[in-house]
Amino acid sequence: MSAINNYIKENKDRFIEELLDFLKIPSISADPQYAEDVKHASEYLAGRMKEAGIENVQIFPTKGHPIVYGDKMIDPSLPTVLVYGHYDVQPPDPIDLWESGPFEPVIKKTELHQQGAIFARGACDDKGQLYMHVKAFESMAQNNGLHCNMKFMIEGEEEVGSDNLEIFCRENRDLLQADVVLLSDTSIIANDVPSITVGLRGLSYVEVEVTGPNRDLHSGVYGGAVANPINVLCDMIASMKDDKGRITIPGFYDKVIDLTQEERDALNSAPFSLESYKKDLKIDDVMGEEGYSTLERTSTRPTLDVNGIWGGYIGEGAKTVLPSKAFAKISMRLVPDQHPDEITQIFVDHFKAIAPDGVKVEVRPHHGGFPAVTPTDTKEYMAAHKAMVDTFGKEPIPQRGGGSIPIVAMFEEVFGVKSVLMGFGLDSDDIHSPNEHFGLFNYFKGIETIPLFYKYYAELSNSN
Ligand code: BES
Ligand code: MN
Ligand code: MN
């Protein structure tokens, strides 16, 4: 491995520069105005993949944003690993809260990143983490270090639900055939506490519209006599949780698989400091479902959260108005065995049922995704485990993640292929927030660990 490690050291600056150029492209998948930039990012990535020595690099157009594919097949008797990542990013707003431009990457030290971190939208989620795989490939290829057949599938629509990826996968079964999926789009517990993600939550996302009177009204002339859709929406949202923090939508918990006490104890034994958690977020206390720890609330329990709410007058000063409409975007994080479509349907039914007669409501479902759990008794988990032991000098802890990555459950359903979630970010890297960043330590730790994954995966595949 030392040849590979030397190569990584010698090319360190270039590996950083290339990532910075990638980060300058505002590949915001949610906003149609950025469609050309998303395309540009796919072309930039395809170019770098070819330079790294990846073969058959192709950009597949979809109804939405393109998918970048490439492979390197070295020997049919060796296992095939499919690397997944996403080159699209979340919108950067609120833009005023960024200390430097979201698409003007800079390197700065932070308390947790003493070796410096790259600040830019997508630095950690997921351009920086997917680019580790491109540079790991280059480092292996240049040093006779390829141990497996490899395929790359990097999409541009993860942040908007991966709808076209599923179609692409179903239409290209042969092209994508693999033994396992490897992705880095999750986090480790801390730079000295490695972990491997063994579960993801699912997602149901809806937008609601509440309409009261047919037009905005004078709030003195009509206020108190006509339903105010903003007041009504707030009441409706508030009623969807009880005083124990449990969601009141009938049937919401029906399919939730409760963990055994043993599983809960194991999960809660992971290193976690509630004090540092509160300090980092500058909050005096945490809040959530009664009877569960913070780690459980963010991994094995389902949630309902308002992501945005608007309506009425929000300009300067005061305008007395009783608005005609109110809106909210609501997400529900799901756990096994909740089904995103079923949850969306019971939400729609419930939301309509609790609406008072003075308003009309509409619910528009957005994307969804299934929850996933990945086993720890597989070759791929063992390979990731051994690779991390080598580079961190410590055993990684299996941990369930709270976020969602729709491809993981989808790939298992379509191809019967499992994923290994070997991410290198930190939860405090501010993904989706202003000032997203990714530690240089983490970037290079990933580039060093990935080649070892292939080495061990090939060895373990050979032994049975
Ligand atoms: N990389 C994240 C998911 C993630 C982050 C998982 C940290 C575990 C730990 C991914 O890009 C993401 O943000 N997914 C979306 C879901 C999508 C359907 C919009 C999410 O979780 O909100
Ligand atoms: Mn991601
Ligand atoms: Mn994301």
Side-chain angles (χ1 to χ4, degrees):
M1 270 298 145
S2 79
I4 292 183
N5 284 344
N6 284 340
Y7 183 87
I8 297 169
K9 270 200 200 86
E10 280 161 15
N11 291 280
K12 190 167 189 249
D13 293 343
R14 179 172 57 83
F15 284 8
I16 295 172
E17 284 309 317
E18 287 174 11
L19 174 56
L20 297 185
D21 284 340
F22 193 22
L23 291 168
K24 286 177 191 158
I25 310 167
S27 47
I28 306 164
S29 51
D31 187 342
Q33 285 193 345
Y34 289 86
E36 273 306 305
D37 295 292
V38 178
K39 192 165 163 248
H40 179 196
S42 73
E43 287 158 359
Y44 178 88
L45 175 64
R48 297 294 82 72
M49 282 167 57
K50 279 183 209 163
E51 275 171 17
I54 298 168
E55 294 171 355
N56 299 313
V57 175
Q58 291 172 68
I59 299 176
F60 285 90
T62 72
K63 275 194 196 137
H65 301 301
I67 293 163
V68 184
Y69 173 87
D71 60 34
K72 178 81 180 176
M73 306 304 284
I74 53 173
D75 179 346
S77 70
L78 291 173
T80 302
V81 177
L82 178 81
V83 175
Y84 165 83
H86 64 93
Y87 67 84
D88 64 320
V89 302
Q90 286 277 331
D93 49 284
I95 202 116
D96 297 349
L97 298 182
W98 283 78
E99 283 169 22
S100 51
F103 301 104
E104 293 155 32
V106 293
I107 298 176
K108 282 189 295 190
K109 283 188 185 161
T110 73
E111 208 179 307
L112 289 177
H113 295 294
Q114 290 295 328
Q115 299 176 28
I118 303 172
F119 281 76
R121 172 57 86 231
C124 177
D125 185 12
D126 180 43
K127 281 173 168 168
Q129 295 217 64
L130 86 84
Y131 208 66
M132 298 182 312
H133 287 270
V134 180
K135 294 298 99 178
F137 179 91
E138 176 190 323
S139 308
M140 291 186 280
Q142 290 294 318
N143 293 284
N144 256 321
L146 294 172
H147 296 278
C148 298
N149 298 308
M150 290 166 67
K151 296 180 176 179
F152 290 80
M153 178 178 73
I154 316 292
E155 69 156 319
E157 295 192 305
E158 195 275 344
E159 300 291 8
V160 291
S162 303
D163 285 348
N164 292 301
L165 184 76
E166 172 154 6
I167 300 168
F168 176 77
C169 289
R170 290 188 189 276
E171 286 174 354
N172 293 279
R173 282 172 174 274
D174 291 345
L175 182 72
L176 301 173
Q177 188 284 321
D179 297 294
V180 69
V181 180
L182 173 65
L183 59 149
S184 299
D185 194 22
T186 51
S187 35
I188 49 174
I189 294 174
N191 282 354
D192 57 355
V193 189
S195 56
I196 298 173
T197 302
V198 293
L200 292 165
R201 288 194 284 192
L203 184 68
S204 158
Y205 199 110
V206 296
E207 192 167 321
V208 299
E209 176 176 338
V210 179
T211 308
N214 63 353
R215 58 191 188 275
D216 285 8
L217 301 171
H218 188 291
S219 67
V221 177
Y222 289 95
V226 177
N228 177 326
I230 300 182
N231 294 8
V232 169
L233 175 59
C234 291
D235 288 345
M236 289 170 76
I237 289 168
S239 78
M240 287 192 282
K241 267 189 209 160
D242 67 15
D243 58 357
K244 295 189 163 53
R246 278 179 71 88
I247 294 151
T248 58
I249 302 172
F252 187 83
Y253 292 98
D254 282 3
K255 296 211 170 149
V256 171
I257 300 179
D258 289 318
L259 273 66
T260 63
Q261 193 56 45
E262 225 182 339
E263 288 171 317
R264 292 183 66 183
D265 291 346
L267 193 153
N268 285 316
S269 70
F272 173 77
S273 156
L274 192 57
E275 279 320 303
S276 343
Y277 187 83
K278 291 193 285 194
K279 204 176 140 217
D280 176 44
L281 301 176
K282 296 201 170 69
I283 51 174
D284 295 329
D285 207 354
V286 291
M287 199 174 150
E289 188 182 359
E290 208 174 282
Y292 294 93
S293 69
T294 296
L295 281 177
E296 292 177 293
R297 288 170 179 169
T298 54
S299 66
T300 55
R301 297 300 298 166
T303 62
L304 183 151
D305 275 296
V306 179
N307 294 248
I309 183 162
W310 69 101
Y313 183 70
I314 53 165
E316 284 294 313
K319 177 189 180 197
T320 48
V321 61
L322 195 158
S324 165
K325 282 182 186 290
F327 303 83
K329 291 183 195 274
I330 298 172
S331 68
M332 287 160 279
R333 295 282 168 181
L334 314 178
V335 300
D337 271 337
Q338 288 176 301
H339 187 303
D341 296 342
E342 281 173 21
I343 293 293
T344 300
Q345 192 54 52
I346 64 171
F347 178 93
V348 172
D349 294 345
H350 180 69
F351 200 75
K352 288 188 174 158
I354 61 173
D357 289 340
V359 299
K360 294 183 192 66
V361 300
E362 256 184 67
V363 184
R364 286 184 284 274
H366 280 260
H367 48 259
F370 282 85
V373 183
T374 58
T376 54
D377 58 356
T378 59
K379 292 189 288 250
E380 56 269 20
Y381 184 86
M382 267 323 291
H385 178 99
K386 283 164 80 97
M388 282 184 142
V389 169
D390 283 5
T391 53
F392 285 89
K394 274 187 190 173
E395 305 235 330
I397 296 166
Q399 214 197 22
R400 288 225 213 164
S404 313
I405 308 176
I407 190 220
V408 175
M410 192 266 281
F411 229 83
E412 186 165 354
E413 206 221 16
V414 177
F415 294 106
V417 170
K418 300 243 186 263
S419 297
V420 48
L421 296 144
M422 191 170 72
F424 292 88
L426 296 182
D427 279 347
S428 54
D429 282 346
D430 289 321
I431 66 171
H432 296 206
S433 303
N435 306 306
E436 174 177 353
H437 53 282
F438 188 40
L440 290 175
F441 169 90
N442 306 68
Y443 183 49
F444 287 102
K445 194 59 96 181
I447 298 172
E448 282 163 27
T449 308
I450 291 162
L452 292 161
F453 170 83
Y454 290 102
K455 187 181 116 183
Y456 289 125
Y457 186 62
E459 272 175 29
L460 291 163
S461 301
N462 201 14
S463 63
N464 56 23

